[in-house]
Amino acid sequence: MDTVISLKNISKTFYIREGHHDSIREKVFNLLKGDPPRSIPALKDISLDIKKGENFGIIGRNGSGKSTLLKLIIGAYRPDKGGRITVNGKVIRLALGMGFDPELSARDNIYVNGSILGLTFRQIGKKFDDIIGFAELEKFVDTQLKFYSSGMVSRLAFAVALHTEADIFLMDEFFGGVGDEGFKEKSEKVFQQSFVEGRTILYVSHQLDTIQEYCDRVLLLNMGEAVALGSPKEVLNQYKQFFH
Amino acid sequence: MINRVFKPILELLPENNRWERIWKLAQVDFQKRYYGNRLGLFWALLNPLFQLGVYYIVFTNVFSVSIPYFALYMFIGLLFWMFFSEATTKSIQTLINYRYLIENIQFNKIDLFLSSTLSSFMGFAFNLAVFFVIALSLGPPVTLNFLYFPLFVVNIFLLALAFGLLLSTLNIYLKDIHHVWDMVTLLGIWLAPVFYSEDLFEKKLGFLMYANPFAGIIINVRKTVLYGQAPDFLLCFYNFAFAILLLVLCNLLFRRFSHKAIEKL
């Protein structure tokens, strides 16, 4: 099968100066003092290939580098020198209420997001009713998102993602906030089918049962290092031993 | 209103996802800044007219400036300057404003700057329409040289885009750049013939003709629409080359450093 995401020797180090601000005055002072910033290694030498259609889980404790890894794949962050990331396909990251502007209505947000994901206005127009229908938001199409509940925003995010034909989904602690049980069931059903459609899904979650149920392979991260990679059963056992 | 004026233009173009996206982001940004579509336009038009009124009263009554068509002379200068300063100042915050998109979807970040500049351009375009209505009724001669006018609009757009990218990149390391830019824009408007005569500018500040790209643009704009003359082609060429060269450089700079901005957001 084709590889859609390929990570080679990915490291990511953040440089932080505590209690400092990026201002012109500070820059001049720092030149004189030569105070080095503190480096925080968020990811250390990760290599990974994810195949088309794979359901891939990433687990680890808070601060283990899960979200950093997703942001690298999205292209928001750039890896340290020597690392290479290749992504084939349109990627969307789903996190609670993210990707939307709270000042805009659902309609505008759908057009903005759809457009960035590569659809033309005509294509979005055709899918518009489906998206609103799936999210069950018919009565709030022109309401600004700041008046939505967080469950409603998650439903909209999910519906947009499903209908915009992104190839790769990055689910960042998403199912936790997707709203009521009925909708959760509906979206999980769609996700089981989507495996057949050949979409690639990366789950980041603390809900181990979700990971166990849906994933083909799981990566365990600890302090930025890849500790284990394999079948959900093996890796989850290791995770439990590791931390308990 | 925005939709009614700009959408037909968009529909003339072949269906293209990228331009649609840039247009949509710009339209939505305009709507947000001016609280919706109809009332918003009122504020976008009132602000420059109000400023013009204040400056006109001060300069004709207090300093007794006598320049033919002084109101129009000042108005067109102000409009170009306000567009430039608004678009560039807004660009400083662009990456922060669109963080919600950058962190979740993959796309070319230059589009954000194109749309942000375009959104300022929408207000500018309506104000230019007001200018031409007044200009045609107050009566400076209409000549074929009016046709050069769009050239300068494109020129100032490219210049604003280039400075927007530059400022946004600088803002990564120097968070207080907007204070500096406020001062630079204030200095810039006084180092160009907006409120005083072009003769005075050439006599006292002639060396700035090429150093301040805005001065050359505004001089050529007035030549074509106020005096019905052909533009100074050398100056026109210089300003265009300046804007394009700066845009290429700033684009390279932005591509090199923009990811740092997102990490520091």
Side-chain angles (χ1 to χ4, degrees):
Chain A
M1 272 202 285
D2 307 337
T3 302
V4 284
I5 302 173
S6 155
L7 310 175
K8 285 207 172 66
N9 307 106
I10 298 300
S11 300
K12 181 71 204 169
T13 315
F14 292 107
Y15 296 95
I16 291 175
R17 276 176 207 278
E18 273 142 9
H20 285 248
H21 299 284
D22 290 314
S23 69
I24 295 168
R25 206 184 66 109
E26 290 274 354
K27 283 276 136 63
V28 175
F29 268 115
N30 286 335
L31 274 183
L32 299 175
K33 277 194 307 189
D35 197 8
R38 197 157 74 99
S39 69
I40 297 174
L43 284 176
K44 294 172 201 157
D45 198 26
I46 307 277
S47 293
L48 188 65
D49 280 328
I50 296 172
K51 303 261 182 290
K52 191 173 159 69
E54 195 168 12
N55 286 9
F56 192 91
I58 301 169
I59 55 175
R61 304 175 75 178
N62 288 333
S64 60
K66 303 185 298 288
S67 285
T68 305
L69 190 62
L70 294 193
K71 285 181 187 173
L72 282 163
I73 293 172
I74 273 286
Y77 295 171
R78 210 173 282 187
D80 293 350
K81 267 207 182 100
R84 255 193 46 209
I85 300 181
T86 339
V87 177
N88 297 317
K90 272 275 170 196
V91 192
I92 184 167
R93 170 168 168 251
L94 291 177
L96 265 182
M98 294 181 80
F100 292 132
D101 186 334
E103 294 291 322
L104 299 180
S105 67
R107 185 187 302 278
D108 286 335
N109 268 307
I110 289 173
Y111 271 89
V112 168
N113 271 272
S115 187
I116 286 176
L117 280 163
L119 298 179
T120 62
F121 281 3
R122 191 177 300 165
Q123 286 168 309
I124 299 169
K126 271 186 204 150
K127 293 175 181 206
F128 191 83
D129 290 339
D130 290 347
I131 294 174
I132 290 295
F134 189 88
E136 300 164 11
L137 292 169
E138 291 88 346
K139 285 183 194 145
F140 306 99
V141 177
D142 291 304
T143 310
Q144 287 174 310
L145 254 59
K146 62 180 171 188
F147 299 120
Y148 277 34
S149 72
S150 54
M152 286 158 83
V153 176
S154 313
R155 259 148 54 196
L156 185 63
F158 190 77
V160 168
L162 268 185
H163 289 86
T164 45
E165 290 166 1
D167 308 299
I168 302 161
F169 288 80
L170 311 181
M171 311 283 286
D172 201 345
E173 291 290 358
F174 186 72
F175 272 126
V178 90
D180 55 81
E181 280 306 311
F183 187 80
K184 199 171 168 180
E185 210 169 280
K186 183 160 97 177
S187 16
E188 286 185 359
K189 212 180 281 168
V190 173
F191 261 73
Q192 281 166 322
Q193 290 166 355
S194 72
F195 176 69
V196 186
E197 286 168 34
R199 279 169 170 170
T200 312
I201 301 161
L202 269 69
Y203 293 92
V204 165
S205 185
H206 288 293
Q207 288 173 307
L208 298 183
D209 48 335
T210 315
I211 297 274
Q212 175 115 40
E213 194 175 339
Y214 294 121
C215 294
D216 309 317
R217 276 198 304 163
V218 179
L219 172 72
L220 171 58
L221 287 175
N222 185 40
M223 313 278 280
E225 281 176 272
V227 179
L229 172 65
S231 73
K233 215 174 168 190
E234 287 170 350
V235 178
L236 289 180
N237 276 337
Q238 211 165 340
Y239 179 72
K240 281 169 192 158
Q241 283 168 8
F242 214 73
F243 298 115
H244 296 294
Chain B
M1 189 69 185
I2 302 291
N3 271 304
R4 217 175 300 158
V5 174
F6 288 100
K7 209 166 186 179
I9 304 171
L10 189 81
E11 276 162 4
L12 285 181
L13 301 168
E15 200 170 354
N16 177 306
N17 168 258
R18 187 167 186 213
W19 291 110
E20 281 181 353
R21 161 172 61 225
I22 290 166
W23 184 79
K24 188 73 196 173
L25 283 168
Q27 183 225 344
V28 150
D29 181 63
F30 186 90
Q31 242 169 285
K32 251 169 52 181
R33 270 185 312 136
Y34 291 111
Y35 327 105
N37 231 326
R38 280 195 201 116
L39 189 72
L41 206 56
F42 169 74
W43 292 116
L45 293 177
L46 184 71
N47 188 6
L49 281 172
F50 182 77
Q51 287 205 30
L52 175 69
V54 171
Y55 288 125
Y56 186 77
I57 291 165
V58 171
F59 279 93
T60 50
N61 291 325
V62 183
F63 298 106
S64 37
V65 177
S66 58
I67 294 173
Y69 305 116
F70 185 53
L72 288 173
Y73 177 95
M74 213 159 53
F75 192 30
I76 193 70
L78 261 179
L79 285 184
F80 268 71
W81 187 254
M82 283 174 77
F83 163 68
F84 179 75
S85 110
E86 186 194 294
T88 47
T89 306
K90 196 144 61 71
S91 291
I92 298 176
Q93 293 294 318
T94 293
L95 286 175
I96 295 161
N97 291 341
Y98 288 106
R99 178 186 185 170
Y100 74 99
L101 289 178
I102 294 169
E103 284 193 338
N104 295 293
I105 312 176
Q106 229 182 0
F107 66 106
N108 192 346
K109 276 131 207 112
I110 302 291
D111 292 358
L112 296 176
F113 289 85
L114 277 165
S115 69
S116 155
T117 310
L118 192 63
S119 137
S120 300
F121 182 81
M122 287 173 173
F124 180 49
F126 281 113
N127 278 303
L128 285 178
V130 172
F131 169 82
F132 278 109
V133 170
I134 302 174
L136 293 178
S137 51
L138 280 185
V142 178
T143 64
L144 275 180
N145 288 319
F146 266 55
L147 295 176
Y148 288 112
F149 181 72
L151 217 59
F152 309 118
V153 175
V154 173
N155 197 337
I156 194 88
F157 188 94
L158 296 178
L159 200 63
L161 187 63
F163 272 103
L165 287 171
L166 179 66
L167 287 167
S168 164
T169 313
L170 287 176
N171 187 47
I172 303 167
Y173 300 100
L174 310 167
K175 291 284 181 232
D176 41 7
I177 195 77
H178 64 278
H179 295 297
V180 178
W181 190 241
D182 280 350
M183 292 189 266
V184 171
T185 48
L186 184 65
L187 195 63
I189 196 170
W190 289 100
L191 293 182
V194 175
F195 301 117
Y196 49 86
S197 78
E198 287 170 8
D199 292 343
L200 199 64
F201 175 76
E202 273 176 52
K203 221 177 288 165
K204 295 268 167 79
L205 297 166
F207 62 97
L208 283 175
M209 181 80 89
Y210 287 92
N212 183 356
F214 179 73
I217 293 176
I218 196 62
I219 286 170
N220 268 334
V221 166
R222 292 211 187 100
K223 265 195 168 54
T224 53
V225 290
L226 276 189
Y227 312 136
Q229 298 167 358
D232 177 340
F233 285 106
L234 178 66
L235 196 59
C236 178
F237 175 77
Y238 169 80
N239 282 322
F240 243 95
F242 184 95
I244 289 170
L245 196 68
L246 193 69
L247 187 59
V248 170
L249 281 176
C250 293
N251 187 18
L252 286 175
L253 203 68
F254 178 77
R255 277 162 178 251
R256 175 78 183 74
F257 290 105
S258 63
H259 67 281
K260 287 263 184 225
I262 297 151
E263 284 167 19
K264 289 190 177 202
L265 281 179

